[in-house]
Amino acid sequence: MNGDGDTTTAGHEPRPPLTAALSGAELLRWYWTLEELTALAREMGVRRGGGKPALTARLAAALDGGPLPDAPPPRPARTARQLAAPVDGDTVIPAGQRCSQVLRAWFTAQIGPSFHFDAHMRAFVAENAGRTLADGVGHWHATRAEAAEPQEVGAQFEFNRFLRSWHAEHPAGTRDEALDAWRAHRSRPRDAAAH
């Protein structure tokens, strides 16, 4: 079994150290944790924000001496007034409303303890200014079948994607076996890890 710090796997190319001497293409061939990428970015003076995919792209460009990808536009300041208690089903969702504790408490009181702000409800609040909280309850109920379906795990969550896939292929597998498989997977370059 390889520990997290071990960079070799019998019969496989060893994972190189993550340094500023690496090429951008080589960086992209391997799995790196956000912590590892952040440390390299700090060392190289590369902006660290924006999530793992954006950081990886900036580091690859910096390692190759190319222009850094454009920074995302700054988020507009949230100056919108937020709903405050008490609210009811006729309360209209204002533009810029967040999934606040006030909304969570109201929806939980209406729907029950199973309520949570999943992707469907976050999108409803963010994209439906002018609709009412009662409309939100209807949206919750209308989206439960879809919400119960397995959701695609974002590419930035490679560990979670790997575990979901591994457990689908090995339904009787243990957590330790899955973690061993993950360590072996991440110790290989991406072009070999799929094989």
Side-chain angles (χ1 to χ4, degrees), residues 5 11 15 20 32 48 57-58 71 77 79 82-83 98 110 114 119 129 141-143 156 164 166 171-172 180 182:
R15 183 174 161 218
W32 308 100
R48 298 182 300 272
R58 280 193 302 278
T79 56
Q82 299 295 300
L83 292 174
R98 294 186 298 272
Q110 303 305 306
S114 65
H141 293 298
T143 58
Q156 71 272 31
R164 179 181 280 184
W166 189 89
D180 285 347
W182 166 249

Side-chain angles (χ1 to χ4, degrees), residues 73-97:
R75 291 184 180 183
R78 294 197 176 200
T79 56
R81 185 178 183 107
Q82 299 295 300
L83 292 174
V87 295
D88 60 31
D90 293 329
T91 300
V92 173
I93 299 170
Q97 176 64 43

Side-chain angles (χ1 to χ4, degrees), residues 2 6-9 12-15 30-31 182-189:
N2 292 333
D6 187 1
T7 59
T8 61
T9 299
H12 293 286
E13 174 182 357
R15 183 174 161 218
W30 299 89
Y31 173 85
W182 166 249
R183 288 182 191 103
H185 171 82
R186 71 167 268 186
S187 71
R188 295 189 297 270

Side-chain angles (χ1 to χ4, degrees), residues 143-156:
T143 58
R144 290 311 85 201
E146 185 179 346
E149 294 292 320
Q151 303 299 309
E152 181 68 25
V153 179
Q156 71 272 31

Side-chain angles (χ1 to χ4, degrees), residues 22-174:
L22 207 62
S23 72
E26 194 66 8
L27 173 88
L28 297 174
R29 285 188 68 216
W30 299 89
Y31 173 85
W32 308 100
T33 65
L34 181 58
E35 182 180 350
E36 291 171 313
L37 295 169
T38 300
L40 180 61
R42 187 176 295 116
E43 175 187 323
M44 294 179 62
V46 171
R47 186 172 67 82
R48 298 182 300 272
K52 187 175 177 182
L55 177 57
T56 302
R58 280 193 302 278
L59 282 170
L63 288 168
D64 288 343
L68 298 183
D70 291 334
R75 291 184 180 183
R78 294 197 176 200
T79 56
R81 185 178 183 107
Q82 299 295 300
L83 292 174
V87 295
D88 60 31
D90 293 329
T91 300
V92 173
I93 299 170
Q97 176 64 43
R98 294 186 298 272
C99 296
S100 66
Q101 291 302 318
V102 169
L103 293 187
R104 181 184 310 278
W106 189 84
F107 281 126
T108 300
Q110 303 305 306
I111 294 167
S114 65
F115 174 78
H116 57 282
F117 280 113
D118 62 7
H120 298 287
M121 288 304 290
R122 288 190 305 270
F124 180 85
V125 170
E127 299 166 6
N128 286 283
R131 305 265 314 264
T132 66
L133 294 184
D135 293 332
V137 171
H139 181 76
W140 167 266
H141 293 298
T143 58
R144 290 311 85 201
E146 185 179 346
E149 294 292 320
Q151 303 299 309
E152 181 68 25
V153 179
Q156 71 272 31
F157 303 113
E158 186 173 351
F159 175 70
N160 295 350
R161 290 170 66 104
F162 177 86
L163 288 183
R164 179 181 280 184
S165 174
W166 189 89
H167 281 295
E169 293 175 18
H170 307 91
T174 67

